[in-house]
Amino acid sequence: MHRLIPRAAIILVFWGILGDAGATGTMRCGQWVISSGDSIVTVVSRCGEPLYKEVISGGEGSRGQRVEQWTYSQGTNRFIKILEFRSGTLVSIRSGKRL
């Protein structure tokens, strides 16, 4: 019985670490939380301008859906967050490398 507790604790710790590394769907910006479905206007008003913006497809003169990736720094030794927008709506949030 005593051996089960440490194993369970180790599993929960690794599960928590791995779960955060690939988490999608939400990001905290100060007191706010943004999530998939939010507009670009909402994200900028809550999180400010990103560190970097890239238009992946649908740029000027294109007839296709505009796809953008925005990169936010969450501070030193924290994972960057990469947000993907399609036609002005946030569709995914994923973690990148640590800064």
Side-chain angles (χ1 to χ4, degrees):
M1 180 77 175
H2 293 283
R3 290 182 165 223
L4 291 179
I5 294 171
R7 287 182 187 165
I10 290 170
I11 290 169
L12 289 174
V13 167
F14 281 115
W15 185 29
I17 291 170
L18 294 175
D20 187 44
T24 62
T26 64
M27 180 175 93
R28 179 167 288 285
C29 296
Q31 68 181 15
W32 303 103
V33 174
I34 60 164
S35 59
S36 297
D38 286 343
S39 70
I40 283 178
V41 173
T42 299
V43 172
V44 171
S45 70
R46 292 181 178 176
C47 302
E49 288 292 325
L51 182 66
Y52 181 73
K53 289 182 188 181
E54 181 180 7
V55 176
I56 303 300
S57 65
E60 296 292 324
S62 174
R63 293 184 184 165
Q65 185 179 53
R66 185 176 177 95
V67 178
E68 296 181 49
Q69 282 189 348
W70 291 13
T71 303
Y72 280 91
S73 169
Q74 302 245 287
T76 305
N77 275 340
R78 308 238 0 236
F79 292 104
I80 62 169
K81 295 293 185 177
I82 302 163
L83 284 61
E84 184 174 310
F85 295 90
R86 292 184 184 269
S87 299
T89 301
L90 182 59
V91 295
S92 73
I93 302 170
R94 66 182 195 276
S95 297
K97 296 181 179 183
R98 289 183 191 250
L99 287 183

